[in-house]
Amino acid sequence: MKQFLVKSLWFLLPVLLFFTAVEIYIRNSENAFITKANYFQKNKEQIEVLVLGSSHNQNGVNPKFFRNKTANLSYGSQDIQIDSALFFSNVKQMKNLEKVVFELDYHRLDIENEPTFYRFPWYYLYYGIEVQPVKFVNKISLYSSNVDFFNNIILDQFSSNYKPQVINEFGFVEANYSNDFLDLNYDETKIEATAKERLKSRHKEVSDENFKHNVSRIESMIAYCKTNNIELYFFSSPLYKTYIENKIPKKDQKVKNYIQQLIANHKIHYYNFENTSRFELKDFSNDDHLNAKGAEKYTKLIDSIIYQ
Amino acid sequence: MLFNSINFAIFLPIVFFLYWFVANKNYKHQNILLLVASYFFYACWDYRFMFLLIFSTLLDYFTGLKMFDAKTSIGKKFWFWLSIGVNLGFLGFFKYYNFFAESFAEALANFGLHVDVWMLNVILPVGISFYTFHGLSYVIDIYYNKIKPERNFIDYAVFVSFFPLLVAGPIERATHLLPQIQRPRKFDYTTAIDGLRQILWGLFKKIVIADNCAEYANLIFNDSAHQSGSNLVLGALFFTFQIYCDFSGYSDIALGTARLFGVELLRNFAFPYFSRDIAEFWRRWHISLSTWFRDYLYIPLGGSKGGIWMKVRNTFIIFLVSGFWHGANWTFIAWGFLNALYFLPLLLANKNRNNIGIVAEGRMLPNVREIFSIGITFLLTVFAWIFFRANNMTHALSYIKGIFTKSLLSMPTVLPYSIFALLVFFITIEWIGREHQYALQRFGMKWPKFLRLSFYYLLIILIFAFMGKEQEFIYFQF
């Protein structure tokens, strides 16, 4: 037995070292999620504006352009249950919080991440929130939350044509070297011709149950903000026309009706920039995401609205 | 808890440590530990179905004792049929209710009668087909006086639920596994190292080969209407390797894990794709199920003792039942039927036991005749897997129709060269290792130690490189 244990451990030692090295590497390599989380944890008490939402706000709102201290906690595929968990788990410690900017886009009300969503462990590790039960192993290892994802990132980083993203201190990606529209040379004809194929399964989820849950989460946030004198602003992000043309009309109408109802019942601040001439093709990185240039415009616009 | 998950990589060393260092004074303590670990392992899937596993275990344990102690043959028969009825009843309810209800409604609809059948939202309890067959073999063996019932409940419960085989086999026999549970196990260095090597090979098969092939098989099968004939052939080939590496990979991990605890399980696969005819294929594919059907269905039906028609009838019955065992879908029945058809000429010509030994034994390469017969058998198998993988009969038939079009001769558009390279690597090792229990068992044993260890690390690197998709094992659904 002793021989077996000693030999097995010697054999497994390089594997364990490899695992540990990978874990240390990914925890220390620069990425938007961790940078943003670290900025937030460090400055939580001074934050005056909190931005919540999905990738639309993640790519569209650069805290650098707000006049006051802002944290943008929006991430790709972040749903309203995570927004709500981030808000309620931190709001009491955010003593200077005055305003919340909330992304109320067409796709958000009908979605709710599956319990197996690979980023739940990340939120646990960096924000201490357990929206869905996180496996023990994922609590101790970031790598184990999505081995495939991290393998691809590591392999990419070691490839010869790798260009690192430029991430600012707020965790906002200011330079990204690949996106759909850039790949099509911002050729409007090509972008329009390929839109149907590109958007055939984008944001097509329709779920009354998720809708109901998300409505209740939003209403809890509204109620909390009202009682605690926090101003809550709802925005619909700028979208390129191809995305708007490929929306499901019935779903779109359902969301619009709900927003009307919100305005009527709660007198909320709501601003719709979905279809505005302020943004041109070159402000977008794809059909529904702004690029850094577009983000600068959009952020300044939000800033001027909330401080008007 | 999947064998290819990090959770299992934590669970296994903990149980191993407790087994050999804490509970090692008395094998009965080890059995209690194995039972607790097995129930925990099962509860990780779905704790709600624990009651079913425990109920099934209790049922067979008590009916086994009652049968043995029965004073009259009527009493013995009563307990026997009670156990068979309840076991098959549970299996039928969870696995086949919706299929029968739907088929019944469709049959009535053919006569113009439209009925609303009650469809149930039934979740299939993982491993039910496997542990039910464990229990059935135990009860049948007692009924035919082949074994005596086990009086120690813990020992019997470990036999049914030993975690390496609990959810996808091999389907063990009381005569083989129970004696190992009833006596102290001694740690053997060579066996344990061999077990680890078998686990490594199983993980490689599952994570590197099966999961990668699955990606392309799914891509092609899910969009078969728009694929060329040549792509469809590739899709069937990918599935052929997927199902083999998925299931035999699972079996390797199960056997290797059991060896770490000093337990030998039944071999489940013996390089089936190197078979020279279908009869040989079925002696090498899912061996524990094939022999189960042979012993508990084919032989009781009369086996090969009667005339030729009796043989043909019995052969068709076991293939159809075997197909149905895999799932409540006509595609599985068609798959079983097709295999019975393949088997028929061999049976009629009395050539079903022609290829008993290992192909090209003692030689590096097969001869032309062997290559030809392996090739034909392989193609027949690939063809049959189309039914197994298809969503329904219409899908299977349109898939086959899609193959036999002009586009069969076109260049496939799905060409993952890295997967092809991995398949060549895999088949080569399987071929070299075909005379052993599993391909890696003696592979590289004559190499310098440094080289052999480097080869194992290469496998580990490949496993890590492809890890993460954590696809479930196909046979968990059966």
Side-chain angles (χ1 to χ4, degrees):
Chain A
M1 175 59 90
K2 195 180 161 195
Q3 190 193 10
F4 174 77
L5 285 182
V6 171
K7 285 200 171 183
S8 311
L9 284 176
W10 271 113
F11 179 77
L12 287 174
L13 193 64
V15 180
L16 293 174
L17 287 175
F18 171 78
F19 239 130
T20 315
V22 171
E23 186 68 30
I24 293 170
Y25 179 78
I26 58 170
R27 283 193 186 224
N28 289 291
S29 61
E30 197 183 23
N31 70 65
F33 195 97
I34 298 175
T35 311
K36 201 177 260 194
N38 289 344
Y39 173 80
F40 176 70
Q41 300 298 2
K42 217 168 119 187
N43 298 286
K44 205 189 275 188
E45 292 190 2
Q46 291 90 50
I47 299 292
E48 291 178 28
V49 181
L50 176 68
V51 181
L52 294 169
S54 71
S55 57
H56 290 179
N57 265 2
Q58 180 190 22
N59 296 309
V61 181
N62 185 349
K64 188 165 92 175
F65 299 110
F66 277 100
R67 65 189 75 176
N68 288 326
K69 214 167 183 99
T70 301
N72 179 357
L73 300 193
S74 314
Y75 290 102
S77 303
Q78 183 164 297
D79 59 14
I80 295 175
Q81 68 171 328
I82 302 176
D83 285 338
S84 160
L86 282 171
F87 176 77
F88 283 111
S89 64
N90 288 296
V91 69
K92 287 202 174 119
Q93 297 148 61
M94 299 176 75
K95 293 178 182 127
N96 279 345
L97 184 67
E98 289 174 0
K99 298 167 196 297
V100 175
V101 172
F102 191 92
E103 175 196 310
L104 193 57
D105 285 354
Y106 154 80
H107 71 288
R108 299 205 81 206
L109 289 156
D110 284 278
I111 54 167
E112 189 170 294
N113 286 313
E114 293 289 317
T116 51
F117 179 51
Y118 72 97
R119 287 209 195 124
F120 280 139
W122 304 13
Y123 288 99
Y124 175 82
L125 289 169
Y126 291 98
Y127 290 100
I129 56 168
E130 198 167 355
V131 180
Q132 294 285 341
V134 175
K135 287 182 191 170
F136 169 72
V137 64
N138 292 337
K139 287 182 177 174
I140 54 169
S141 162
L142 188 62
Y143 180 55
S144 68
S145 65
N146 192 336
V147 177
D148 205 26
F149 174 84
F150 285 114
N151 281 346
N152 287 333
I153 286 194
I154 294 168
L155 290 175
D156 263 3
Q157 291 185 352
F158 285 101
S159 76
S160 54
N161 50 3
Y162 174 69
K163 280 187 189 170
Q165 291 180 323
V166 179
I167 302 167
N168 68 17
E169 61 167 315
F170 307 96
F172 181 86
V173 180
E174 296 196 317
N176 202 341
Y177 297 96
S178 172
N179 65 58
D180 290 346
F181 284 2
L182 189 66
D183 295 345
L184 294 167
N185 294 321
Y186 281 97
D187 180 330
E188 203 170 339
T189 323
K190 276 189 198 161
I191 287 171
E192 284 180 27
T194 51
K196 255 211 158 49
E197 179 59 26
R198 213 171 35 248
L199 296 166
K200 68 179 178 197
S201 53
R202 182 106 183 114
H203 297 154
K204 300 295 182 212
E205 303 85 352
V206 177
S207 161
D208 289 339
E209 206 185 332
N210 290 346
F211 196 95
K212 208 169 81 188
H213 291 159
N214 287 326
V215 162
S216 133
R217 286 170 185 134
I218 290 173
E219 295 195 350
S220 305
M221 284 178 69
I222 294 174
Y224 185 90
C225 288
K226 260 189 191 158
T227 5
N228 292 279
N229 288 327
I230 298 168
E231 286 181 278
L232 181 54
Y233 292 84
F234 292 91
F235 287 88
S236 291
S237 322
L239 301 165
Y240 191 60
K241 60 182 175 188
T242 45
Y243 182 90
I244 296 170
E245 284 157 10
N246 280 282
K247 279 182 178 181
I248 302 170
K250 213 173 150 188
K251 176 175 168 177
D252 195 29
Q253 196 52 52
K254 185 172 74 170
V255 176
K256 281 179 179 152
N257 291 345
Y258 170 65
I259 293 172
Q260 287 310 317
Q261 200 186 309
L262 259 188
I263 296 169
N265 296 346
H266 298 284
K267 312 242 172 330
I268 58 155
H269 307 289
Y270 170 72
Y271 300 89
N272 184 354
F273 292 110
E274 253 189 36
N275 198 1
T276 165
S277 54
R278 292 170 200 254
F279 296 89
E280 53 177 9
L281 173 62
K282 291 218 166 164
D283 291 325
F284 289 91
S285 62
N286 63 22
D287 307 81
D288 59 328
H289 292 104
L290 293 167
N291 56 25
K293 187 174 148 252
E296 183 177 343
K297 269 191 197 176
Y298 185 45
T299 310
K300 286 177 176 168
L301 194 59
I302 295 175
D303 183 71
S304 69
I305 289 170
I306 63 174
Y307 286 108
Q308 70 192 353
Chain B
M1 196 187 307
L2 295 168
F3 278 171
N4 52 334
S5 68
I6 295 173
N7 288 356
F8 187 72
I10 295 170
F11 168 82
L12 181 60
I14 293 173
V15 181
F16 179 85
F17 177 81
L18 294 173
Y19 184 83
W20 290 116
F21 289 97
V22 178
N24 59 330
K25 297 279 184 294
N26 186 333
Y27 78 94
K28 290 185 175 173
H29 296 162
Q30 288 181 322
N31 287 350
I32 293 170
L33 173 74
L34 284 182
L35 186 62
V36 172
S38 300
Y39 282 169
F40 174 77
F41 180 81
Y42 193 79
C44 288
W45 295 104
D46 197 331
Y47 66 89
R48 292 170 300 173
F49 290 122
M50 284 289 299
F51 89 92
L52 204 60
L53 172 64
I54 295 170
F55 178 80
S56 169
T57 309
L58 282 168
L59 173 81
D60 297 331
Y61 172 73
F62 282 112
T63 48
L65 289 175
K66 289 284 182 192
M67 249 189 321
F68 189 74
D69 296 339
K71 302 267 185 307
T72 62
S73 72
I74 295 172
K76 191 176 176 179
K77 271 188 184 155
F78 170 78
W79 292 109
F80 174 69
W81 286 111
L82 178 75
S83 170
I84 300 284
V86 175
N87 271 309
L88 293 181
F90 272 127
L91 191 61
F93 174 76
F94 282 102
K95 200 166 171 175
Y96 301 109
Y97 173 81
N98 282 348
F99 171 77
F100 281 121
E102 212 174 343
S103 302
F104 177 65
E106 276 172 18
L108 288 182
N110 288 336
F111 294 100
L113 296 167
H114 295 277
V115 288
D116 277 334
V117 286
W118 225 31
M119 300 299 280
L120 298 176
N121 188 15
V122 187
I123 305 167
L124 183 66
V126 69
I128 189 168
S129 304
F130 292 92
Y131 66 71
T132 303
F133 270 44
H134 269 122
L136 285 176
S137 74
Y138 171 78
V139 170
I140 297 169
D141 282 351
I142 294 173
Y143 183 77
Y144 286 109
N145 300 319
K146 287 183 188 164
I147 54 167
K148 286 183 178 171
E150 172 57 59
R151 296 205 174 260
N152 183 319
F153 177 73
I154 300 289
D155 289 3
Y156 177 72
V158 173
F159 158 70
V160 177
S161 55
F162 183 39
F163 72 88
L165 53 77
L166 181 55
V167 289
I171 299 167
E172 271 293 340
R173 306 295 181 82
T175 45
H176 181 251
L177 184 56
L178 259 176
Q180 297 184 66
I181 294 167
Q182 289 160 331
R183 62 171 185 248
R185 272 89 54 186
K186 269 176 72 182
F187 181 82
D188 179 67
Y189 172 79
T190 320
T191 311
I193 290 288
D194 201 38
L196 285 182
R197 201 181 289 119
Q198 194 163 8
I199 292 173
L200 176 65
W201 188 237
L203 285 172
F204 173 80
K205 284 204 257 186
K206 166 65 182 160
I207 295 169
V208 181
I209 307 293
D211 289 355
N212 276 299
C213 286
E215 207 174 307
Y216 292 97
N218 292 343
L219 182 84
I220 296 169
F221 270 88
N222 293 343
D223 187 33
S224 57
H226 304 106
Q227 302 286 340
S228 64
S230 52
N231 274 359
L232 293 174
V233 170
L234 269 184
L237 279 170
F238 282 129
F239 182 69
T240 301
F241 285 103
Q242 180 201 345
I243 190 154
Y244 169 59
C245 292
D246 189 285
F247 193 21
S248 73
Y250 178 90
S251 296
D252 280 336
I253 302 168
L255 266 74
T257 304
R259 284 177 159 184
L260 291 177
F261 295 91
V263 175
E264 287 290 334
L265 298 181
L266 290 170
R267 192 183 185 193
N268 225 9
F269 289 88
F271 309 99
Y273 290 155
F274 299 141
S275 302
R276 288 151 291 184
D277 59 47
I278 284 294
E280 187 185 8
F281 175 83
W282 278 104
R283 282 192 296 275
R284 294 176 174 279
W285 179 274
H286 202 174
I287 301 166
S288 66
L289 181 71
S290 312
T291 50
W292 198 100
F293 279 125
R294 182 196 64 201
D295 295 346
Y296 298 107
L297 190 62
Y298 185 72
I299 292 173
L301 283 170
S304 320
K305 281 183 185 159
I308 193 76
W309 293 114
M310 170 93 100
K311 275 195 216 176
V312 172
R313 184 201 69 177
N314 294 346
T315 301
F316 270 91
I317 289 174
I318 61 158
F319 274 110
L320 290 175
V321 173
S322 167
F324 199 48
W325 177 89
H326 283 87
N329 195 329
W330 287 105
T331 51
F332 293 121
I333 297 172
W335 171 76
F337 182 77
L338 199 55
N339 275 287
L341 280 183
Y342 292 163
F343 197 86
L344 197 60
L346 296 169
L347 189 73
L348 294 175
N350 219 6
K351 287 186 171 176
N352 54 322
R353 297 193 67 80
N354 267 10
N355 294 308
I356 299 290
I358 295 160
V359 62
E361 195 168 5
R363 282 178 284 137
M364 180 63 100
L365 294 170
N367 58 35
V368 177
R369 189 191 159 95
E370 283 165 341
I371 292 173
F372 182 75
S373 42
I374 290 172
I376 294 288
T377 310
F378 182 72
L379 286 178
L380 289 173
T381 316
V382 174
F383 185 75
W385 287 131
I386 295 173
F387 286 91
F388 197 94
R389 171 61 181 78
N391 302 331
N392 50 49
M393 284 303 287
T394 319
H395 184 207
L397 295 174
S398 67
Y399 194 101
I400 292 163
K401 205 174 149 196
I403 289 179
F404 297 104
T405 55
K406 273 184 192 167
S407 61
L408 177 62
L409 303 173
S410 65
M411 190 68 181
T413 50
V414 181
L415 288 168
Y417 291 109
S418 57
I419 310 296
F420 293 149
L422 285 170
L423 281 173
V424 170
F425 172 77
F426 166 70
I427 295 166
T428 308
I429 295 172
E430 285 273 294
W431 176 260
I432 294 169
R434 72 195 181 284
E435 294 183 19
H436 305 288
Q437 289 289 308
Y438 61 95
L440 204 61
Q441 192 169 32
R442 306 295 307 156
F443 188 84
M445 284 299 164
K446 288 179 185 162
W447 298 356
K449 196 177 172 185
F450 164 76
L451 207 61
R452 193 171 69 246
L453 289 179
S454 304
F455 180 74
Y456 295 156
Y457 282 125
L458 170 71
L459 295 183
I460 292 172
I461 289 169
L462 287 171
I463 288 168
F464 276 117
F466 289 103
M467 211 168 140
K469 290 161 196 151
E470 257 189 40
Q471 302 223 17
E472 275 214 350
F473 289 89
I474 295 177
Y475 265 69
F476 285 1
Q477 63 186 294
F478 300 140

